[in-house]
Amino acid sequence: MRPRNLLIALAVVILLAFIFLNVCDTLLVDLLWFDSLGFHQVFATTVIAELVIFGIVWAAAFIAFFANGLIALGLSQDRERLRVVRRSDQMVEVNLPELIRSFGDRIPWKLLVTAVAALLALFVAQGEASSWDLYLKALYGVPFGLREPAFGRDVGFYVFTLPFLDEIRDLFLTLVMLSAVVSGVVYWARGALDFRESPPRIAPACTAHLSALFGIFFLQRALAYWIGRFELTLHGNSVVFGLRYVDHVLWQPGLWLLVALSVVAALISFLNLGERGLRLPVAAAAIVFGPAVILNLMQPAIERLVVKPDELHVETPYLKRNIEMTRRAFHLDGVDVKPFAGLGKLTPASLTRDATTIQNIRLWDPRPLIATYRQLQEIRLYYDFRGVDIDRYHINGNYTQVMLSPREMNVDLLPENAQTWINRHLKFTHGYGLVMSPVNAKDQEGLPILYVKNIPPQSDVGIKIDQPGIYYGEEPDVYAIVDATTPEFDYPRGNDNAFDYYKGGGGVPISGLWRRTLFSFFYRDINLLVTRTISAKSRIMLRRNISQRVSYIAPFLNQDADPYMIVNNGRLDWIIDCYTVSDHYPYSQINAYEINYIRNSVKAVIDAYTGAVTFYVADEDDPIIRTWERIYPGMFRSMGTMSPNLREHIRYPEEFFLIQAQTYATYHMTDPAVFYNREDLWSFPRENYSDETTAMQPYYVIMRLPGESHAEYILMLPMVPQGRDNMIAWLAARCDGADYGHLFEFEFSKDRLFYGPYQIQARINQNPEISQQYSLWNQMGSKVILGNLLVIPVEDSLLYVEPLYIRAQNGQLPELQRVLASYSDRTVMGENLPSTLTALLKGGPAAPAQPTVASATTPISPPPAPTIAPTLNGAASHYQQALDALRQGDWTRFGAEMQQLGRTLGTGGHPGSP
């Protein structure tokens, strides 16, 4: 072969390879990536579904467009045409159809129609292929086992089949309209259709074709009206969501009427095939759309004359359906409602019985704590703490609530002169370890006591981390190459650095010319192709952001906004709560997230070192996740296969609870009359933080629920009447063991006033001693920050606790310096929780009467010891020993000493004391 021909052939090969990579690079990378994670079958199922849908829809669309284009060509060939050339004085209007026809046979009409049909079909098919999940859910949908009353259909029909029918309806309309456009353009271009007249002038030869298109259009309308019957259960007004009275008496029969009229209109249009005008199709349109207009005009008349005068009575059956189905859809039908009288008395004995609850009252707020973590434990500028997670561990045999934050690598924080390709992708590849602290402890300077700290991780409480490397986390996605010829930066060691090689199985092998070429093209990064640092063992880690990682594998799952890290047998794992949702659950109220059904069906666990992803089914009764299990067999695991250590860290997701609480604020009213009048609407309490008023968020606590024998991990949220600040109830969700997911409502008596968080904060601010201390701190160059005010039920009483932090005006190191507590009509402030509770129970001030000057870096001196009269030496002794027990966390001895104190003073430790 001649050199010239060889060069041409080489250029052609390179060009074809470039085109192939440009089209298929993402597909090939996805194939390698899914295969490396063990989800090859998931990838294959999805791609095959997309290809099948694309092929079928493309073929159907192409046939429709091509056939209509050919018919238009045939009917406009050698037939009577409109030849209209207008003259206005000396100016001649250009007639484009005449100009096109002047080219005669030089225009390849059939080829042109074929190309246009293929291109339009490509766009239509691509749009449908992106809705592959609708097709698969309709094919594999699992029944809900519940029939809605209006049409007798299983709820699964609405959730799985109806969205598919909506898609087919819209596709049908798209094909009809684009077929009409293709035909109309051909007729216009060949002079058989003139839009310059009003109405447009049409050659008689075209009417048969247009009549057929009208007939097909009316068939589409018949399908749309038939589907519209079922969608009556999915709309609403301000009173009822779903089928209403007017829908039942007017639109249910009315839509059947429109279905029949549309079929009649289609037949009339088809009868016009032999006519030379469009009078019959126009009359058919009047037959369909005239009654449709009349029905729309009848609706307000029925509502005004029949519904409004007796709306509650008329809509009651439909309100019952709305309430029942909404509660089912948001998993609120199993809420266990219990009374909370609030008549109990907070005593040393009650604190002793609820010692685990008191020991785990959270004094550290995630917002100031993250700033403290960053100042104390980021170690180097390229490490980043993105957020604080809350969890529980068994520490020294005690069930303990902790806060923790992973130390991730953020290469964007490297100095500008260190922003090299080698540093970003081969050297600084991973974060290292985490920081952990208890929720309720501080040191003498007001800083958190760290259970896990430093690099490498150190722990004085037995929390062991054998594999601290974090290659996958919440940082923005930056690909990394591991097992290269040069070692990675592992962690800082004094003035030096420790280096090491990756020892896991994460990532995709990248050795070999074609793989390097593929990834180089995928990332548009020539370094991947030309670097000499890639070895035969090298692997590329991509999609390292855990949320994006899960989304790529399971795009049909919605994710919680707060992934959290756990220590699992010496390794670091991420847990992401995933949801199955729908907006097609009949009669269920659509919420602000545009959904009306949700389940926390899946727990996704991601290994922070290898990136391995495991999906556990958390709600095996959810028909949507059971449908996806049928679509992707082997993708999901049962919760029963989860290791016990991992199972201990499963928690009820805050976002799910928040959505349920928002819905329950209205749908706790199950009586239609009360619901109709909105007599008992609830909302979230208000709270102040950093001089801003916001809605209170749910919070995790370890506490003993009223009537239970042991403390457990729960998620709770107080509720207040809408427009008011006093508490009306509190909601709780269990997180532990076999009772996981059990929801409670503890309802307060409406005959008594229970202060809400906002009212307690107002009382704190109005306390003269406390407000005076605030003013002094703020005047001395410090900033006072109040944390979350927590409402803690203790047996049948309520304890309010709020931490106070002090931060230098220009500093970023908040310190926990005071604890405020309120009970009944008392509000006190102390240096720590034990002293605050002691003052709250004793009835004396916990803080010194005179303000104490303190800065954000100087610890505040403790309050002076109380003065006891000499005649009460015995009582003073018991009181001092109780204080010592509190400081040591010995709640049993504290309760005993307080009871002895009560006996000495003749008051008794608790009701029933001798």
Side-chain angles (χ1 to χ4, degrees), residues 101-179:
R101 285 197 305 278
S102 67
F103 288 95
D105 295 333
R106 283 175 288 178
I107 297 179
W109 287 103
K110 288 186 178 180
L111 180 61
L112 187 60
V113 168
T114 302
V116 170
L119 185 62
L120 288 177
L122 183 67
F123 290 123
V124 174
Q126 189 174 16
E128 284 303 304
S130 65
S131 300
W132 56 270
D133 57 319
L134 295 181
Y135 288 79
L136 290 180
K137 286 190 291 185
L139 183 62
Y140 292 96
V142 173
F144 276 65
L146 174 68
R147 294 186 177 274
E148 61 81 26
F151 300 99
R153 298 270 185 167
D154 185 88
V155 171
F157 168 81
Y158 293 89
V159 174
F160 301 126
T161 306
L162 191 56
F164 169 73
L165 293 176
D166 290 339
E167 191 75 13
I168 296 300
R169 175 201 62 199
D170 296 341
L171 175 62
F172 192 177
L173 181 61
T174 299
L175 296 181
V176 172
M177 299 305 294
L178 289 180
S179 294

Side-chain angles (χ1 to χ4, degrees), residues 104-304:
D105 295 333
R106 283 175 288 178
I107 297 179
W109 287 103
K110 288 186 178 180
L111 180 61
L112 187 60
V113 168
T114 302
V116 170
L119 185 62
L120 288 177
L122 183 67
F123 290 123
V124 174
Q126 189 174 16
E128 284 303 304
S130 65
S131 300
W132 56 270
D133 57 319
L134 295 181
Y135 288 79
L136 290 180
K137 286 190 291 185
L139 183 62
Y140 292 96
V142 173
F144 276 65
L146 174 68
R147 294 186 177 274
E148 61 81 26
F151 300 99
R153 298 270 185 167
D154 185 88
V155 171
F157 168 81
Y158 293 89
V159 174
F160 301 126
T161 306
L162 191 56
F164 169 73
L165 293 176
D166 290 339
E167 191 75 13
I168 296 300
R169 175 201 62 199
D170 296 341
L171 175 62
F172 192 177
L173 181 61
T174 299
L175 296 181
V176 172
M177 299 305 294
L178 289 180
S179 294
V181 170
V182 170
S183 303
V185 169
V186 171
Y187 285 131
W188 170 79
R190 294 174 67 84
L193 184 62
D194 190 353
F195 289 103
R196 293 174 297 175
E197 296 290 328
S198 182
R201 298 182 62 188
I202 307 171
C206 307
T207 57
H209 187 194
L210 295 180
S211 296
L213 288 174
F214 268 112
I216 297 172
F217 169 73
F218 288 127
L219 290 178
Q220 191 276 340
R221 296 315 305 156
L223 174 64
Y225 290 134
W226 182 80
I227 293 173
R229 295 166 50 246
F230 303 108
E231 292 181 337
L232 293 173
T233 65
L234 299 172
H235 76 134
N237 58 9
S238 59
V239 177
V240 182
F241 190 91
L243 194 81
R244 303 164 293 170
Y245 175 82
V246 69
D247 298 326
H248 176 65
V249 301
L250 177 66
W251 286 109
Q252 273 191 281
L255 287 170
W256 264 125
L257 174 64
L258 294 178
V259 169
L261 292 177
S262 296
V263 173
V264 170
L267 294 175
I268 292 173
S269 298
F270 290 137
L271 290 175
N272 195 62
L273 292 177
E275 302 296 327
R276 297 176 64 85
L278 293 176
R279 293 181 181 178
L280 289 180
V282 172
I287 289 174
V288 174
F289 297 117
V293 172
I294 293 173
L295 288 171
N296 277 285
L297 293 175
M298 290 176 62
Q299 177 175 327
I302 294 174
E303 290 176 338
R304 180 66 185 88

Side-chain angles (χ1 to χ4, degrees), residues 599-654:
R599 290 291 186 274
N600 174 216
S601 297
V602 174
K603 307 286 187 180
V605 180
I606 304 97
D607 190 307
Y609 191 71
T610 66
V613 182
T614 307
F615 295 96
Y616 294 95
V617 176
D619 188 349
E620 296 181 351
D621 296 326
D622 174 35
I624 297 182
I625 197 59
R626 288 165 58 199
T627 296
W628 287 113
E629 286 184 282
R630 293 179 63 182
I631 295 171
Y632 297 121
M635 177 179 178
F636 300 95
R637 299 185 185 181
S638 169
M639 284 282 284
T641 65
M642 183 180 285
S643 68
N645 187 68
L646 185 58
R647 183 67 181 83
E648 289 181 356
H649 296 283
I650 295 300
R651 68 186 190 187
Y652 202 82
E654 185 176 336

